[in-house]
Protein backbone atom coordinates (compact mmCIF):
# COMPACT_ATOMS: atom_id res chain seq x y z
CA UNK A 1 0.00 0.00 0.00
CA UNK A 2 0.97 3.64 -0.49
CA UNK A 3 2.38 5.39 2.59
CA UNK A 4 -0.37 6.75 4.79
CA UNK A 5 -3.07 4.75 2.97
CA UNK A 6 -5.24 1.80 4.00
CA UNK A 7 -3.56 -1.62 3.89
CA UNK A 8 -6.67 -3.44 2.63
CA UNK A 9 -6.31 -4.97 -0.85
CA UNK A 10 -9.46 -4.52 -2.97
CA UNK A 11 -9.72 -7.66 -5.09
CA UNK A 12 -12.34 -6.26 -7.43
CA UNK A 13 -10.19 -3.25 -8.34
CA UNK A 14 -6.86 -5.08 -8.04
CA UNK A 15 -5.31 -2.39 -5.90
CA UNK A 16 -5.04 -1.28 -2.29
CA UNK A 17 -7.76 0.88 -0.74
CA UNK A 18 -6.89 4.56 -1.08
CA UNK A 19 -8.66 5.79 2.06
CA UNK A 20 -6.60 7.42 4.82
CA UNK A 21 -6.59 5.55 8.17
CA UNK A 22 -6.73 7.27 11.55
CA UNK A 23 -3.33 8.07 13.12
CA UNK A 24 -1.66 4.90 14.37
CA UNK A 25 -3.97 2.60 12.38
CA UNK A 26 -3.18 0.46 9.34
CA UNK A 27 -6.73 0.27 8.00
CA UNK A 28 -9.46 2.86 7.28
CA UNK A 29 -12.81 2.87 9.07
CA UNK A 30 -14.40 0.66 6.43
CA UNK A 31 -11.73 -2.04 6.77
CA UNK A 32 -10.74 -1.46 10.39
CA UNK A 33 -12.20 -4.80 11.46
CA UNK A 34 -9.21 -6.50 9.82
CA UNK A 35 -6.91 -5.29 12.60
CA UNK A 36 -9.42 -5.39 15.46
CA UNK A 37 -8.44 -7.99 18.02
CA UNK A 38 -11.94 -8.34 19.46
CA UNK A 39 -14.93 -10.16 17.98
CA UNK A 40 -16.83 -7.13 16.74
CA UNK A 41 -18.71 -8.01 13.58
CA UNK A 42 -19.26 -5.75 10.58
CA UNK A 43 -22.41 -6.16 8.49
CA UNK A 44 -23.67 -4.50 5.27
CA UNK A 45 -25.66 -1.35 5.93
CA UNK A 46 -29.36 -2.13 5.34
CA UNK A 47 -29.81 1.28 3.68
CA UNK A 48 -26.90 0.85 1.29
CA UNK A 49 -25.07 -2.51 1.18
CA UNK A 50 -22.13 -0.88 -0.61
CA UNK A 51 -20.69 -0.03 2.80
CA UNK A 52 -20.52 -1.88 6.13
CA UNK A 53 -21.01 -0.96 9.76
CA UNK A 54 -20.28 -2.53 13.16
CA UNK A 55 -23.30 -4.60 14.15
CA UNK A 56 -23.31 -3.21 17.68
CA UNK A 57 -23.40 0.36 16.29
CA UNK A 58 -26.10 -0.22 13.66
CA UNK A 59 -28.85 1.87 15.26
CA UNK A 60 -26.48 4.80 15.79
CA UNK A 61 -25.27 4.54 12.19
CA UNK A 62 -28.80 4.46 10.71
CA UNK A 63 -29.53 7.87 12.24
CA UNK A 64 -26.65 9.54 10.39
CA UNK A 65 -26.13 7.33 7.31
CA UNK A 66 -25.91 9.40 4.11
CA UNK A 67 -28.25 6.90 2.43
CA UNK A 68 -31.08 7.43 4.91
CA UNK A 69 -34.32 8.82 3.55
CA UNK A 70 -34.35 12.56 3.93
CA UNK A 71 -37.40 14.80 4.30
CA UNK A 72 -38.95 15.58 0.93
CA UNK A 73 -38.62 19.22 -0.22
CA UNK A 74 -41.77 21.28 -0.72
CA UNK A 75 -41.43 21.04 -4.50
CA UNK A 76 -41.46 17.22 -4.45
CA UNK A 77 -44.73 15.87 -5.86
CA UNK A 78 -44.64 12.12 -6.47
CA UNK A 79 -44.63 11.26 -10.20
CA UNK A 80 -46.09 14.61 -11.27
CA UNK A 81 -44.11 14.47 -14.54
CA UNK A 82 -44.06 10.68 -14.95
CA UNK A 83 -46.62 10.48 -17.73
CA UNK A 84 -48.29 7.15 -18.44
CA UNK A 85 -50.36 5.66 -15.62
CA UNK A 86 -52.03 2.83 -17.57
CA UNK A 87 -49.90 -0.22 -16.85
CA UNK A 88 -51.79 -2.17 -19.54
CA UNK A 89 -49.97 -0.15 -22.22
CA UNK A 90 -46.54 -1.21 -20.99
CA UNK A 91 -45.30 -4.58 -22.35
CA UNK A 92 -44.29 -7.00 -19.61
CA UNK A 93 -41.00 -8.12 -21.13
CA UNK A 94 -39.14 -7.28 -24.31
CA UNK A 95 -36.93 -9.63 -26.28
CA UNK A 96 -33.39 -8.20 -26.59
CA UNK A 97 -32.58 -6.66 -29.95
CA UNK A 98 -29.77 -9.16 -30.42
CA UNK A 99 -32.29 -12.05 -30.19
CA UNK A 100 -34.47 -10.89 -33.08
CA UNK A 101 -34.53 -12.97 -36.24
CA UNK A 102 -33.56 -11.46 -39.60
CA UNK A 103 -37.23 -11.32 -40.65
CA UNK A 104 -38.29 -9.57 -37.44
CA UNK A 105 -35.54 -6.99 -37.81
CA UNK A 106 -36.42 -6.35 -41.46
CA UNK A 107 -40.08 -5.84 -40.50
CA UNK A 108 -39.02 -3.29 -37.87
CA UNK A 109 -36.93 -1.40 -40.42
CA UNK A 110 -39.86 -1.38 -42.87
CA UNK A 111 -42.13 0.04 -40.13
CA UNK A 112 -39.50 2.63 -39.26
CA UNK A 113 -39.15 3.87 -42.82
CA UNK A 114 -42.91 3.90 -43.37
CA UNK A 115 -43.50 5.94 -40.21
CA UNK A 116 -40.69 8.34 -41.17
CA UNK A 117 -42.00 8.90 -44.69
CA UNK A 118 -42.97 12.53 -45.16
CA UNK A 119 -41.28 13.81 -42.00
CA UNK A 120 -38.63 16.52 -42.06
CA UNK A 121 -35.59 14.37 -41.34
CA UNK A 122 -32.80 16.55 -42.74
CA UNK A 123 -32.01 19.06 -40.03
CA UNK A 124 -30.45 22.44 -40.69
CA UNK A 125 -26.97 23.08 -39.38
CA UNK A 126 -27.04 26.20 -37.21
CA UNK A 127 -23.73 26.44 -35.39
CA UNK A 128 -23.76 29.69 -33.43
CA UNK A 129 -21.54 31.27 -30.80
CA UNK A 130 -21.72 33.90 -28.09
CA UNK A 131 -19.32 36.62 -27.08
CA UNK A 132 -19.53 35.59 -23.41
CA UNK A 133 -17.35 32.55 -24.21
CA UNK A 134 -14.93 34.12 -26.66
CA UNK A 135 -12.20 34.65 -24.08
CA UNK A 136 -12.44 31.04 -22.90
CA UNK A 137 -12.55 29.73 -26.47
CA UNK A 138 -9.35 31.61 -27.27
CA UNK A 139 -7.56 30.54 -24.08
CA UNK A 140 -4.72 28.14 -25.04
CA UNK A 141 -4.78 26.68 -21.52
CA UNK A 142 -8.00 24.84 -22.30
CA UNK A 143 -7.43 21.34 -23.61
CA UNK A 144 -9.26 19.63 -26.46
CA UNK A 145 -12.01 18.22 -24.22
CA UNK A 146 -12.71 21.58 -22.55
CA UNK A 147 -12.69 23.29 -25.96
CA UNK A 148 -15.39 20.91 -27.23
CA UNK A 149 -17.63 21.66 -24.26
CA UNK A 150 -17.07 25.39 -24.66
CA UNK A 151 -18.05 25.26 -28.34
CA UNK A 152 -21.29 23.49 -27.45
CA UNK A 153 -22.08 25.91 -24.63
CA UNK A 154 -21.34 28.88 -26.90
CA UNK A 155 -23.72 27.57 -29.56
CA UNK A 156 -26.48 26.92 -27.01
CA UNK A 157 -26.14 30.50 -25.75
CA UNK A 158 -26.13 31.73 -29.34
CA UNK A 159 -29.47 30.00 -29.94
CA UNK A 160 -30.87 31.43 -26.70
CA UNK A 161 -29.87 34.92 -27.84
CA UNK A 162 -31.37 34.35 -31.28
CA UNK A 163 -34.68 33.42 -29.64
CA UNK A 164 -34.52 36.51 -27.38
CA UNK A 165 -34.38 34.36 -24.25
CA UNK A 166 -31.41 36.12 -22.64
CA UNK A 167 -33.17 38.91 -20.80
CA UNK A 168 -34.06 40.29 -17.35
CA UNK A 169 -36.80 39.14 -15.01
CA UNK A 170 -36.50 35.47 -15.88
CA UNK A 171 -35.72 32.22 -14.15
CA UNK A 172 -33.36 29.86 -15.97
CA UNK A 173 -33.94 26.22 -14.99
CA UNK A 174 -31.04 23.95 -15.96
CA UNK A 175 -32.16 20.33 -16.02
CA UNK A 176 -29.48 17.70 -15.43
CA UNK A 177 -27.24 20.54 -14.31
CA UNK A 178 -24.26 18.46 -13.16
CA UNK A 179 -21.53 20.96 -12.29
CA UNK A 180 -23.71 23.84 -13.48
CA UNK A 181 -21.45 25.03 -16.30
CA UNK A 182 -24.25 25.99 -18.69
CA UNK A 183 -25.93 28.22 -16.08
CA UNK A 184 -22.52 29.67 -15.29
CA UNK A 185 -22.09 30.88 -18.86
CA UNK A 186 -25.66 32.17 -19.05
CA UNK A 187 -24.90 34.18 -15.90
CA UNK A 188 -21.79 35.67 -17.54
CA UNK A 189 -23.78 36.48 -20.69
CA UNK A 190 -26.28 38.39 -18.51
CA UNK A 191 -23.62 40.34 -16.65
CA UNK A 192 -25.46 43.67 -16.73
CA UNK A 193 -28.99 42.28 -16.55
CA UNK A 194 -31.11 42.53 -13.40
CA UNK A 195 -33.62 40.19 -11.77
CA UNK A 196 -32.15 36.90 -12.99
CA UNK A 197 -32.70 33.62 -11.10
CA UNK A 198 -31.12 30.22 -11.68
CA UNK A 199 -32.45 26.83 -10.58
CA UNK A 200 -30.02 23.94 -11.08
CA UNK A 201 -31.88 20.62 -11.09
CA UNK A 202 -29.75 17.53 -10.43
CA UNK A 203 -30.83 14.38 -8.63
CA UNK A 204 -27.31 13.26 -7.74
CA UNK A 205 -24.80 14.92 -5.48
CA UNK A 206 -22.17 16.58 -7.66
CA UNK A 207 -18.49 17.21 -7.09
CA UNK A 208 -16.49 20.14 -8.48
CA UNK A 209 -19.53 22.39 -8.89
CA UNK A 210 -18.88 25.82 -10.37
CA UNK A 211 -21.53 27.47 -8.21
CA UNK A 212 -18.86 29.29 -6.21
CA UNK A 213 -17.75 31.22 -9.30
CA UNK A 214 -20.93 33.26 -9.44
CA UNK A 215 -19.76 36.59 -8.09
CA UNK A 216 -22.71 38.73 -9.13
CA UNK A 217 -24.81 39.64 -6.12
CA UNK A 218 -27.99 40.33 -8.07
CA UNK A 219 -28.26 36.85 -9.63
CA UNK A 220 -29.61 34.08 -7.41
CA UNK A 221 -28.50 30.46 -7.75
CA UNK A 222 -30.31 27.59 -6.09
CA UNK A 223 -29.73 23.85 -6.42
CA UNK A 224 -32.70 21.47 -6.40
CA UNK A 225 -31.58 17.93 -5.61
CA UNK A 226 -34.59 16.07 -6.93
CA UNK A 227 -35.49 13.73 -9.77
CA UNK A 228 -37.18 15.68 -12.58
CA UNK A 229 -39.97 13.10 -12.44
CA UNK A 230 -41.11 14.52 -9.09
CA UNK A 231 -40.33 18.23 -9.58
CA UNK A 232 -43.24 20.69 -9.34
CA UNK A 233 -41.82 24.06 -10.34
CA UNK A 234 -44.87 25.85 -8.99
CA UNK A 235 -43.88 24.84 -5.47
CA UNK A 236 -40.28 26.09 -5.70
CA UNK A 237 -40.38 29.07 -3.29
CA UNK A 238 -38.80 31.56 -5.73
CA UNK A 239 -41.28 30.73 -8.50
CA UNK A 240 -44.23 30.38 -6.15
CA UNK A 241 -43.56 33.88 -4.87
CA UNK A 242 -42.64 35.72 -8.07
CA UNK A 243 -44.18 33.56 -10.85
CA UNK A 244 -41.30 34.42 -13.14
CA UNK A 245 -41.31 33.36 -16.79
CA UNK A 246 -39.12 30.28 -17.03
CA UNK A 247 -36.49 29.34 -19.60
CA UNK A 248 -35.73 25.61 -19.52
CA UNK A 249 -32.20 24.68 -20.60
CA UNK A 250 -30.05 21.57 -20.65
CA UNK A 251 -26.85 20.29 -22.19
CA UNK A 252 -27.01 16.62 -23.13
CA UNK A 253 -30.12 15.82 -21.12
CA UNK A 254 -30.08 12.06 -21.08
CA UNK A 255 -32.90 9.97 -22.57
CA UNK A 256 -36.14 10.01 -20.58
CA UNK A 257 -34.93 13.05 -18.61
CA UNK A 258 -35.74 15.19 -21.68
CA UNK A 259 -39.34 13.97 -21.71
CA UNK A 260 -39.67 14.50 -17.96
CA UNK A 261 -38.28 18.03 -18.31
CA UNK A 262 -40.66 18.90 -21.16
CA UNK A 263 -43.64 17.69 -19.17
CA UNK A 264 -42.36 19.51 -16.09
CA UNK A 265 -42.26 22.78 -18.04
CA UNK A 266 -45.29 22.75 -20.31
CA UNK A 267 -47.69 20.78 -18.10
CA UNK A 268 -46.95 20.91 -14.39
CA UNK A 269 -45.62 24.50 -14.41
CA UNK A 270 -48.17 25.85 -16.88
CA UNK A 271 -51.04 24.11 -15.09
CA UNK A 272 -50.67 25.10 -11.45
CA UNK A 273 -50.54 22.52 -8.63
CA UNK A 274 -53.29 23.25 -6.13
CA UNK A 275 -53.66 20.31 -3.73
CA UNK A 276 -51.38 18.47 -1.37
CA UNK A 277 -51.27 15.20 -3.29
CA UNK A 278 -51.64 16.36 -6.86
CA UNK A 279 -51.96 14.14 -9.85
CA UNK A 280 -50.27 15.20 -13.10
CA UNK A 281 -52.38 17.71 -15.04
CA UNK A 282 -55.45 15.96 -16.54
CA UNK A 283 -55.98 16.01 -20.27
CA UNK A 284 -58.82 18.52 -20.10
CA UNK A 285 -56.41 21.00 -18.42
CA UNK A 286 -53.70 20.34 -20.96
CA UNK A 287 -56.02 20.99 -23.86
CA UNK A 288 -57.08 24.29 -22.37
CA UNK A 289 -53.72 25.49 -21.17
CA UNK A 290 -53.07 27.68 -24.22
CA UNK A 291 -55.91 29.90 -23.04
CA UNK A 292 -55.19 29.48 -19.32
CA UNK A 293 -51.46 30.17 -19.42
CA UNK A 294 -51.51 33.96 -19.97
CA UNK A 295 -53.70 34.49 -16.91
CA UNK A 296 -51.30 32.51 -14.77
CA UNK A 297 -48.63 35.15 -15.15
CA UNK A 298 -50.88 38.17 -15.39
CA UNK A 299 -49.79 39.41 -11.97
CA UNK A 300 -46.12 39.41 -12.86
CA UNK A 301 -44.69 42.83 -13.65
CA UNK A 302 -42.07 41.45 -16.02
CA UNK A 303 -44.50 39.63 -18.32
CA UNK A 304 -47.04 40.71 -20.87
CA UNK A 305 -50.64 39.62 -21.10
CA UNK A 306 -49.96 37.09 -23.87
CA UNK A 307 -46.81 35.72 -22.32
CA UNK A 308 -46.77 32.05 -21.32
CA UNK A 309 -45.23 30.99 -18.00
CA UNK A 310 -42.56 29.17 -20.02
CA UNK A 311 -40.70 31.71 -22.15
CA UNK A 312 -38.62 29.13 -23.99
CA UNK A 313 -36.91 25.75 -24.05
CA UNK A 314 -33.38 25.04 -25.30
CA UNK A 315 -32.16 21.47 -24.72
CA UNK A 316 -29.27 19.58 -26.32
CA UNK A 317 -30.60 16.04 -26.77
CA UNK A 318 -28.73 12.88 -25.79
CA UNK A 319 -28.92 9.11 -25.28
CA UNK A 320 -32.15 8.19 -27.03
CA UNK A 321 -31.51 4.57 -26.07
CA UNK A 322 -32.27 5.58 -22.47
CA UNK A 323 -35.77 6.78 -23.36
CA UNK A 324 -38.80 5.13 -21.78
CA UNK A 325 -42.28 4.64 -23.23
CA UNK A 326 -43.79 5.37 -19.82
CA UNK A 327 -42.31 8.89 -19.78
CA UNK A 328 -42.17 9.59 -23.53
CA UNK A 329 -44.18 12.69 -24.49
CA UNK A 330 -44.66 11.61 -28.13
CA UNK A 331 -46.80 8.53 -27.55
CA UNK A 332 -49.78 10.02 -29.41
CA UNK A 333 -47.60 10.63 -32.46
CA UNK A 334 -46.31 7.05 -32.40
CA UNK A 335 -49.87 5.74 -32.24
CA UNK A 336 -50.93 8.01 -35.10
CA UNK A 337 -48.40 6.32 -37.42
CA UNK A 338 -49.36 2.81 -36.33
CA UNK A 339 -46.58 2.26 -33.80
CA UNK A 340 -46.71 1.35 -30.12
CA UNK A 341 -44.57 0.49 -27.08
CA UNK A 342 -43.05 -2.61 -28.68
CA UNK A 343 -41.73 -0.71 -31.71
CA UNK A 344 -40.64 2.16 -29.48
CA UNK A 345 -38.57 -0.25 -27.38
CA UNK A 346 -36.69 -1.55 -30.40
CA UNK A 347 -36.30 1.85 -32.07
CA UNK A 348 -34.80 3.32 -28.92
CA UNK A 349 -32.26 0.49 -28.80
CA UNK A 350 -31.51 0.83 -32.50
CA UNK A 351 -30.98 4.57 -32.05
CA UNK A 352 -27.58 3.80 -30.52
CA UNK A 353 -26.38 2.69 -33.96
CA UNK A 354 -26.19 6.36 -34.93
CA UNK A 355 -23.33 6.95 -32.49
CA UNK A 356 -21.95 3.45 -31.97
CA UNK A 357 -22.34 1.89 -35.40
CA UNK A 358 -20.20 -1.23 -35.20
CA UNK A 359 -17.23 -1.85 -32.94
CA UNK A 360 -14.97 0.45 -34.94
CA UNK A 361 -16.97 3.52 -33.91
CA UNK A 362 -16.98 2.85 -30.16
CA UNK A 363 -13.77 4.80 -29.56
CA UNK A 364 -15.16 7.81 -31.44
CA UNK A 365 -18.25 7.83 -29.24
CA UNK A 366 -16.20 7.64 -26.07
CA UNK A 367 -13.99 10.60 -26.99
CA UNK A 368 -16.71 12.99 -28.05
CA UNK A 369 -19.39 12.32 -25.46
CA UNK A 370 -20.18 14.85 -22.80
CA UNK A 371 -18.50 13.17 -19.81
CA UNK A 372 -17.32 16.30 -18.02
CA UNK A 373 -20.74 17.88 -17.56
CA UNK A 374 -22.72 14.78 -16.64
CA UNK A 375 -22.50 12.73 -13.48
CA UNK A 376 -21.58 9.24 -14.71
CA UNK A 377 -23.91 9.70 -17.67
CA UNK A 378 -23.40 10.02 -21.38
CA UNK A 379 -20.06 8.44 -22.12
CA UNK A 380 -20.72 5.36 -19.99
CA UNK A 381 -24.19 4.91 -21.49
CA UNK A 382 -22.91 4.80 -25.04
CA UNK A 383 -20.06 2.46 -24.20
CA UNK A 384 -22.32 0.08 -22.31
CA UNK A 385 -24.83 0.00 -25.14
CA UNK A 386 -22.09 -0.54 -27.69
CA UNK A 387 -21.03 -3.69 -25.86
CA UNK A 388 -24.52 -5.09 -25.41
CA UNK A 389 -26.20 -4.12 -28.68
CA UNK A 390 -23.49 -3.58 -31.26
CA UNK A 391 -21.05 -6.39 -30.74
CA UNK A 392 -22.97 -9.59 -30.13
CA UNK A 393 -25.97 -9.64 -32.46
CA UNK A 394 -26.44 -11.36 -35.80
CA UNK A 395 -26.62 -8.22 -37.90
CA UNK A 396 -22.99 -7.80 -38.79
CA UNK A 397 -23.36 -9.83 -41.98
CA UNK A 398 -26.64 -8.17 -42.98
CA UNK A 399 -26.24 -4.43 -42.48
CA UNK A 400 -23.16 -2.39 -43.18
CA UNK A 401 -21.81 0.17 -40.71
CA UNK A 402 -23.25 3.02 -42.77
CA UNK A 403 -26.67 1.35 -42.99
CA UNK A 404 -26.74 0.88 -39.23
CA UNK A 405 -25.80 4.51 -38.70
CA UNK A 406 -28.54 5.63 -41.09
CA UNK A 407 -31.16 3.51 -39.31
CA UNK A 408 -29.94 4.74 -35.92
CA UNK A 409 -30.31 8.37 -37.04
CA UNK A 410 -33.77 7.61 -38.38
CA UNK A 411 -34.80 6.20 -34.99
CA UNK A 412 -33.50 9.31 -33.23
CA UNK A 413 -35.34 11.67 -35.57
CA UNK A 414 -38.59 9.70 -35.23
CA UNK A 415 -38.41 9.87 -31.42
CA UNK A 416 -37.54 13.57 -31.59
CA UNK A 417 -40.38 14.29 -34.01
CA UNK A 418 -42.80 12.95 -31.39
CA UNK A 419 -41.41 15.53 -28.99
CA UNK A 420 -41.82 18.30 -31.56
CA UNK A 421 -45.46 17.38 -32.20
CA UNK A 422 -46.10 17.29 -28.46
CA UNK A 423 -44.73 20.81 -28.04
CA UNK A 424 -46.72 22.04 -31.03
CA UNK A 425 -49.93 20.66 -29.54
CA UNK A 426 -49.10 22.45 -26.30
CA UNK A 427 -48.89 25.79 -28.11
CA UNK A 428 -45.18 26.12 -28.87
CA UNK A 429 -43.19 26.69 -32.02
CA UNK A 430 -40.59 23.92 -31.81
CA UNK A 431 -37.62 23.01 -33.98
CA UNK A 432 -34.60 20.71 -34.20
CA UNK A 433 -31.20 21.71 -35.58
CA UNK A 434 -27.57 20.62 -35.54
CA UNK A 435 -25.97 23.05 -33.11
CA UNK A 436 -22.39 21.78 -33.35
CA UNK A 437 -20.21 19.60 -35.57
CA UNK A 438 -20.28 15.82 -35.15
CA UNK A 439 -16.52 16.00 -34.56
CA UNK A 440 -17.26 18.02 -31.42
CA UNK A 441 -20.08 15.75 -30.22
CA UNK A 442 -21.91 12.88 -31.87
CA UNK A 443 -24.97 14.01 -29.90
CA UNK A 444 -25.24 17.31 -31.76
CA UNK A 445 -28.99 18.01 -32.03
CA UNK A 446 -30.60 20.93 -30.21
CA UNK A 447 -34.32 21.17 -29.45
CA UNK A 448 -35.70 24.70 -29.18
CA UNK A 449 -39.21 25.92 -28.46
CA UNK A 450 -40.90 29.28 -27.85
CA UNK A 451 -44.60 30.12 -27.37
CA UNK A 452 -46.65 30.33 -30.56
CA UNK A 453 -47.99 33.75 -29.66
CA UNK A 454 -44.94 35.47 -31.19
CA UNK A 455 -41.25 35.93 -30.65
CA UNK A 456 -40.56 36.44 -26.98
CA UNK A 457 -41.34 40.07 -26.17
CA UNK A 458 -38.55 42.04 -24.63
CA UNK A 459 -39.31 42.58 -20.90
Amino acid sequence: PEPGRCAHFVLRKRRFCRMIPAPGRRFCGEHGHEEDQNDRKRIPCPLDPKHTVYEDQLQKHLKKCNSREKPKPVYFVQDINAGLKDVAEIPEKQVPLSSLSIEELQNLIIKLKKASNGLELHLKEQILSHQALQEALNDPKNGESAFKHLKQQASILGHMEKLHLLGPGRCFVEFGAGRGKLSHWVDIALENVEGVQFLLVERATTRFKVDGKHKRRDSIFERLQVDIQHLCLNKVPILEKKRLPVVGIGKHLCGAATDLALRCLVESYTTCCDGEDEEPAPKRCRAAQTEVAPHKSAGNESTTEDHKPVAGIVIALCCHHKCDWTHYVGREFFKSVGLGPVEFHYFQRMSSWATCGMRETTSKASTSEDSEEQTNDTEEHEQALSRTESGSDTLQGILSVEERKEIGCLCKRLIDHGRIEYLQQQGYKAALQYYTESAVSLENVLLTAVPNSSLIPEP
Side-chain angles (χ1 to χ4, degrees):
E2 299 177 22
R5 302 287 177 170
C6 178
H8 173 79
F9 187 78
V10 186
L11 288 174
R12 182 173 60 87
K13 297 184 178 180
R14 298 181 182 179
R15 61 167 174 77
F16 284 95
C17 173
R18 291 173 179 165
M19 298 297 288
I20 301 175
R25 308 275 292 186
R26 293 183 58 239
F27 296 88
C28 67
E30 179 68 15
H31 305 116
H33 61 283
E34 296 185 22
E35 64 179 327
D36 284 340
Q37 299 301 316
N38 53 31
D39 296 327
R40 295 180 74 190
K41 181 182 178 182
R42 289 187 75 88
I43 59 172
C45 172
L47 299 178
D48 181 6
K50 292 180 180 178
H51 66 273
T52 61
V53 60
Y54 283 115
E55 189 173 25
D56 57 3
Q57 292 184 334
L58 177 60
Q59 295 307 314
K60 181 180 178 182
H61 171 79
L62 292 178
K63 294 178 181 179
K64 61 181 181 180
C65 179
N66 288 333
S67 298
R68 72 189 185 280
E69 186 174 358
K70 300 174 181 64
K72 296 289 191 295
V74 292
Y75 45 79
F76 181 99
V77 178
Q78 184 72 39
D79 292 330
I80 187 170
N81 305 313
L84 185 63
K85 291 283 186 180
D86 186 4
V87 182
E89 269 200 55
I90 307 171
E92 293 183 6
K93 191 176 181 180
Q94 298 284 5
V95 177
L97 188 60
S98 56
S99 300
L100 293 178
S101 66
I102 296 174
E103 291 75 20
E104 289 172 322
L105 179 71
Q106 289 174 335
N107 286 334
L108 277 174
I109 295 174
I110 290 172
K111 285 184 177 182
L112 173 67
K113 292 182 177 180
K114 182 179 178 181
S116 305
N117 189 32
L119 301 183
E120 182 56 54
L121 302 173
H122 300 288
L123 308 183
K124 293 181 180 179
E125 185 175 81
Q126 297 191 45
I127 302 172
L128 307 180
S129 191
H130 195 280
Q131 59 183 8
L133 289 94
Q134 289 310 304
E135 185 178 343
L137 285 167
N138 295 325
D139 188 349
K141 294 180 181 178
N142 287 318
E144 183 181 357
S145 177
F147 182 69
K148 288 180 177 181
H149 292 302
L150 289 168
K151 286 193 71 173
Q152 294 174 68
Q153 290 152 350
S155 186
I156 292 174
L157 262 67
H159 281 274
M160 292 175 69
E161 186 173 54
K162 182 180 178 182
L163 294 170
H164 306 283
L165 296 176
L166 295 176
R170 287 175 183 154
C171 180
F172 295 87
V173 183
E174 183 180 356
F175 293 94
R179 296 174 59 199
K181 274 290 189 71
L182 185 55
S183 292
H184 170 72
W185 289 115
V186 173
D187 184 42
I188 291 177
L190 298 173
E191 186 176 3
N192 299 315
V193 176
E194 297 180 352
V196 178
Q197 317 271 353
F198 291 90
L199 295 177
L200 279 61
V201 183
E202 178 60 64
R203 66 181 178 181
T205 53
T206 308
R207 301 176 66 192
F208 311 118
K209 298 186 285 287
V210 297
D211 301 27
K213 294 184 178 180
H214 310 134
K215 297 178 180 179
R216 292 176 58 217
R217 294 182 180 179
D218 54 343
S219 61
I220 299 174
F221 280 78
E222 182 181 350
R223 276 192 174 263
L224 308 180
Q225 189 174 342
V226 62
D227 194 310
I228 305 170
Q229 182 170 330
H230 313 301
L231 172 61
C232 180
L233 286 176
N234 286 292
K235 289 183 174 289
V236 177
I238 289 177
L239 294 177
E240 189 175 32
K241 180 180 179 181
K242 298 187 177 182
R243 296 299 296 167
L244 293 170
V246 160
V247 178
I249 60 176
K251 178 171 174 284
H252 286 185
L253 195 55
C254 193
T258 294
D259 298 298
L260 295 172
L262 293 178
R263 195 175 281 109
C264 176
L265 289 164
V266 305
E267 290 188 35
S268 71
Y269 185 58
T270 302
T271 320
C272 191
C273 311
D274 297 317
E276 288 294 322
D277 300 306
E278 299 86 342
E279 291 293 326
K283 286 185 179 179
R284 57 185 176 82
C285 291
R286 294 174 195 166
Q289 70 186 17
T290 302
E291 292 77 25
V292 172
H295 302 291
K296 291 288 182 182
S297 56
N300 192 321
E301 296 177 1
S302 64
T303 57
T304 60
E305 193 174 6
D306 64 344
H307 194 205
K308 283 196 168 215
V310 178
I313 301 169
V314 180
I315 294 175
L317 304 174
C318 177
C319 294
H320 292 72
H321 64 273
K322 301 294 288 186
C323 290
D324 189 309
W325 178 258
T326 305
H327 305 312
Y328 181 51
V329 296
R331 291 193 301 267
E332 293 304 318
F333 161 70
F334 257 64
K335 292 175 184 177
S336 71
V337 291
L339 302 175
V342 174
E343 290 83 9
F344 180 84
H345 167 79
Y346 290 121
F347 292 164
Q348 66 163 112
R349 306 307 290 175
M350 291 159 66
S351 71
S352 68
W353 296 351
T355 51
C356 291
M358 297 282 266
R359 292 179 182 176
E360 69 180 51
T361 59
T362 305
S363 60
K364 286 175 66 178
S366 66
T367 56
S368 60
E369 285 301 324
D370 185 17
S371 58
E372 179 191 89
E373 302 300 314
Q374 301 294 96
T375 52
N376 305 321
D377 259 356
T378 320
E379 183 180 41
E380 293 179 3
H381 290 172
E382 292 293 1
Q383 288 180 348
L385 196 78
S386 176
R387 289 192 294 269
T388 57
E389 295 289 9
S390 296
S392 59
D393 56 41
T394 58
L395 310 176
Q396 296 183 20
I398 305 167
L399 299 172
S400 67
V401 175
E402 289 305 315
E403 287 173 327
R404 286 168 67 96
K405 286 182 180 178
E406 183 181 344
I407 292 170
C409 287
L410 207 56
C411 290
K412 282 177 175 285
R413 297 295 75 80
L414 191 69
I415 292 172
D416 289 339
H417 186 82
R419 291 165 169 167
I420 294 295
E421 282 211 359
Y422 165 80
L423 288 167
Q424 290 172 344
Q425 290 168 4
Q426 298 291 337
Y428 290 84
K429 180 180 179 181
L432 297 168
Q433 52 264 308
Y434 292 118
Y435 76 104
T436 192
E437 302 94 339
S438 58
V440 172
S441 175
L442 293 176
E443 297 282 17
N444 61 341
V445 174
L446 188 72
L447 183 152
T448 60
V450 291
N452 258 338
S453 51
S454 63
L455 286 176
I456 303 299
E458 291 294 339

